[in-house]
Amino acid sequence: MTTTQRAVLIRAYGGAAAAEVAQIARPAAGQGQVLVRVRAAGVNGIDWKVREGFVRDAFPLQLPAVLGIELAGVVEAVGAGSSRFLVGDRVMGPLGRLGAYADFVAVDEANLVRTPDSLDDVHAAAVPVAAVAAWQSLHHAGPIAAGQRILIHGAAGGLGGYAVQYAKRAGAMVFATASAAHVEYVRSLGADRVIDYRRERFESVASDIDLVLDYVGGEVLDRSWQVLAKDGAIVGTTSPDILARTPAGRRGLWLMNQPDAALLERLAAEIAQGTLVSKLDEVVGFDDIPVAIERNRTAARIGKVVADFSR
């Protein structure tokens, strides 16, 4: 049995070339862990933010570090004290840390769920972080009530597509920003008013907003304070410095996704049954992960990008 494996890692912070395919030691399952043979892994915005060092204060790393935060695969071995899964079980979930872009990954079994039979590994790998984080961000500022006005930035992306569906289910009036090519898709998810951000400024359309879900960051966050209702809030997932950028008298909250196996199991079942839409934008091979990470930084997309490790 080989003792090494493929991995996508960074040795130093930097641009597109900083992420590379390399060989590293194959891990073993520790206490309360299972060793997963990874079949697919989701590509996320946090990959390039970590790569470039933008979130080094929020996520201190010892370099070199393997990138990737969610996976789907098969249990290869079971560590001491682990009892939820057996060798051969198909599983999916977030790591709760970095390291998913490797052929074998030791994962805390508490973070994993069994993959529904009708969900293949590529589609399963698109779910664990975005579906759960979207739910958590929607409820992070407090309960959602019917009739609330919610603005979702980046509504066609991985988190945004789920958030539109969750907010509409809760009876909210949903405003959403997206590129022109993605307007109809976002509308199909239930958004009441989709704003093509290249043609319209959302400030001229949305007002008295109770909750802004900011999956874009940058100047979009800074422009969003003016559309809030008096007691409104912005929940951000892309700007660790949101608290420092929150004007006096306003409410800004930073969300760090937390693994929630029970919630993931429920959402994965809905996706498998077809009652919750999960959209794949692109499937790439293992060696193409560094390029896919950079594309995540530069290009708008619908849904998630997933790396298929068999390619």
Side-chain angles (χ1 to χ4, degrees), residues 261-274:
L263 177 59
L264 174 58
E265 186 172 43
R266 177 168 67 81
L267 297 175
E270 289 193 43
I271 291 167
Q273 294 160 7

Side-chain angles (χ1 to χ4, degrees), residues 123-150:
H123 284 82
V127 176
V129 169
V132 171
W135 180 272
Q136 292 175 343
S137 60
L138 179 66
H139 296 88
H140 193 53
I144 301 300
Q148 281 188 307
R149 296 164 66 86
I150 296 177

Side-chain angles (χ1 to χ4, degrees), residues 205-294:
V205 178
S207 61
D208 296 317
I209 298 296
D210 298 296
L211 176 65
V212 174
L213 299 179
D214 177 29
Y215 304 136
V216 176
E219 54 93 21
V220 169
L221 169 60
D222 297 326
R223 290 164 50 200
S224 294
W225 303 107
Q226 61 190 285
V227 306
L228 285 180
K230 180 180 178 181
D231 297 322
I234 297 179
V235 173
T237 63
T238 62
S239 305
D241 61 346
I242 186 173
L243 298 183
R245 294 164 65 182
T246 301
R250 290 299 192 181
R251 188 180 180 209
L253 301 169
W254 162 243
L255 177 86
M256 290 179 62
N257 178 52
Q258 299 296 322
D260 185 333
L263 177 59
L264 174 58
E265 186 172 43
R266 177 168 67 81
L267 297 175
E270 289 193 43
I271 291 167
Q273 294 160 7
T275 56
L276 179 65
V277 175
S278 179
K279 181 75 171 179
L280 280 186
D281 181 74
E282 183 183 16
V283 180
V284 302
F286 190 94
D287 289 344
D288 295 322
I289 291 174
V291 174
I293 291 172
E294 178 63 7

Side-chain angles (χ1 to χ4, degrees), residues 6-305:
R6 299 175 300 174
V8 175
L9 53 77
I10 57 170
R11 303 182 192 275
Y13 296 116
E20 62 177 277
V21 178
Q23 289 288 319
I24 64 170
R26 177 172 162 172
Q31 181 75 27
Q33 294 184 323
V34 295
L35 183 68
V36 178
R37 180 189 291 270
V38 183
R39 289 181 170 172
V43 177
N44 292 277
I46 193 65
D47 295 331
W48 67 263
K49 294 181 178 73
V50 168
R51 185 197 70 193
E52 301 210 359
F54 289 158
V55 293
R56 69 178 76 186
D57 293 333
F59 303 102
L61 292 180
Q62 182 177 347
L63 301 177
V66 177
L67 300 176
I69 58 173
E70 63 184 338
L71 54 76
V74 178
V75 174
E76 183 82 3
V78 177
S82 300
S83 59
R84 294 183 59 217
F85 303 106
L86 300 174
V87 172
D89 283 346
R90 294 179 62 232
V91 292
M92 58 188 287
L95 268 65
R97 55 177 175 82
L98 297 177
Y101 296 149
D103 287 314
F104 295 89
V105 180
V107 187
D108 292 343
E109 69 166 5
N111 292 351
L112 298 171
V113 301
R114 286 178 174 80
T115 303
D117 291 340
S118 60
L119 205 60
D120 65 50
D121 293 311
V122 168
H123 284 82
V127 176
V129 169
V132 171
W135 180 272
Q136 292 175 343
S137 60
L138 179 66
H139 296 88
H140 193 53
I144 301 300
Q148 281 188 307
R149 296 164 66 86
I150 296 177
L151 170 61
I152 300 170
H153 291 307
L159 276 76
Y162 291 119
V164 169
Q165 295 175 80
Y166 301 154
K168 195 59 187 174
R169 285 183 181 183
M173 174 74 174
V174 180
F175 297 80
T177 62
S179 66
H182 302 157
V183 165
E184 288 306 317
Y185 166 69
V186 175
R187 187 175 288 125
S188 75
L189 298 177
D192 297 285
R193 180 67 164 86
V194 187
I195 303 162
D196 173 1
Y197 62 80
R198 290 193 175 96
R199 297 183 59 188
E200 290 183 287
R201 291 181 68 84
F202 63 83
E203 306 96 309
S204 66
V205 178
S207 61
D208 296 317
I209 298 296
D210 298 296
L211 176 65
V212 174
L213 299 179
D214 177 29
Y215 304 136
V216 176
E219 54 93 21
V220 169
L221 169 60
D222 297 326
R223 290 164 50 200
S224 294
W225 303 107
Q226 61 190 285
V227 306
L228 285 180
K230 180 180 178 181
D231 297 322
I234 297 179
V235 173
T237 63
T238 62
S239 305
D241 61 346
I242 186 173
L243 298 183
R245 294 164 65 182
T246 301
R250 290 299 192 181
R251 188 180 180 209
L253 301 169
W254 162 243
L255 177 86
M256 290 179 62
N257 178 52
Q258 299 296 322
D260 185 333
L263 177 59
L264 174 58
E265 186 172 43
R266 177 168 67 81
L267 297 175
E270 289 193 43
I271 291 167
Q273 294 160 7
T275 56
L276 179 65
V277 175
S278 179
K279 181 75 171 179
L280 280 186
D281 181 74
E282 183 183 16
V283 180
V284 302
F286 190 94
D287 289 344
D288 295 322
I289 291 174
V291 174
I293 291 172
E294 178 63 7
R295 261 202 310 273
N296 184 285
R297 184 183 71 85
T298 60
R301 65 199 179 283
I302 293 179
K304 288 292 293 285
V305 176

